[in-house]
Amino acid sequence: GKYRLKRLSSIVKKSQAFIFTSGAGLGVDSGLPDFRGKHGLWKAYPHLKDLGLSFAEMSNPTWFSKDPHLIWGFWSHRIGMYRNMNAHKGFDIMKKWADSVNGDYFVFTSNVDGAYQSKGFKESNILECHGSSRWMQCTEPCDNDIWSGDTIDVGLNKCCINKK
């Protein structure tokens, strides 16, 4: 209990660098559904439950040609949740620790929500191993570039020509 917390505090104060690792728990604590768990996804998207589709199935890019309305509806809503997410105060604590070591930190996360960036962590110090909802890429062979999706109005028929 108290001894462990005191010891942790001492370690943090003496640290010269930090490596932060995180997964879905941070997003869930910030109010996002647990997309990996069937019930979290289906609670957020009841229509997918009716269709019997899992998160893994919906994360396949073939949906952009197979059923663009379905996939853009799914992604538009998810990106909207990420953009409007209020990352909890745990991110502020980690940022304070990162700042205490003059920015000598690294973040490895499986989250795609951009929460670390929204709290001021440097993009160059973050690795999002599952990709990022903040970047767009065309599924057609029209362009191999990626571009920021932060200001894009996500919706049906959005493609490379709409990069702004």
Side-chain angles (χ1 to χ4, degrees):
K2 275 188 177 180
Y3 171 75
R4 286 184 180 170
L5 193 55
K6 211 172 196 176
R7 186 166 182 261
L8 175 62
S9 177
S10 174
I11 291 169
V12 168
K13 287 177 184 172
K14 293 177 186 176
S15 295
Q16 296 176 1
F18 289 101
I19 297 175
F20 302 103
T21 61
S22 64
L26 282 178
V28 170
D29 288 348
S30 297
L32 296 175
D34 175 9
F35 291 112
R36 292 280 178 180
K38 271 188 177 180
H39 302 293
L41 172 75
W42 288 348
K43 185 177 178 185
Y45 306 101
H47 181 62
L48 297 181
K49 181 179 182 180
D50 296 341
L51 296 174
L53 295 170
S54 69
F55 177 82
E57 291 166 317
M58 283 306 300
S59 295
N60 188 321
T62 60
W63 285 104
F64 286 100
S65 58
K66 188 176 176 180
D67 190 341
H69 285 90
L70 180 65
I71 192 65
W72 275 117
F74 176 67
W75 274 104
S76 294
H77 184 258
R78 282 187 63 199
I79 290 170
M81 283 194 305
Y82 298 152
R83 288 178 179 170
N84 295 317
M85 178 182 66
N86 211 359
H88 67 80
K89 66 181 176 179
F91 286 95
D92 297 321
I93 293 168
M94 288 186 288
K95 182 65 168 86
K96 183 177 177 180
W97 291 354
D99 291 343
S100 76
V101 292
N102 298 315
D104 197 7
Y105 67 89
F106 189 76
V107 175
F108 181 88
T109 182
S110 61
N111 296 342
V112 300
D113 54 31
Y116 283 98
Q117 294 88 336
S118 76
K119 288 296 188 169
F121 286 78
K122 291 187 288 188
E123 186 82 42
S124 61
N125 289 30
I126 303 169
L127 175 69
E128 297 162 302
C129 68
H130 291 307
S132 173
S133 65
R134 299 176 55 246
W135 295 95
M136 299 288 167
Q137 183 175 23
C138 187
T139 59
E140 300 296 323
C142 65
D143 195 329
N144 289 324
D145 292 340
I146 62 170
W147 63 93
S148 174
D150 287 343
T151 58
I152 289 178
D153 178 24
V154 180
L156 191 59
N157 295 325
K158 299 294 180 189
C159 189
C160 303
I161 58 172
N162 291 320
K163 291 188 238 182
K164 292 182 182 174

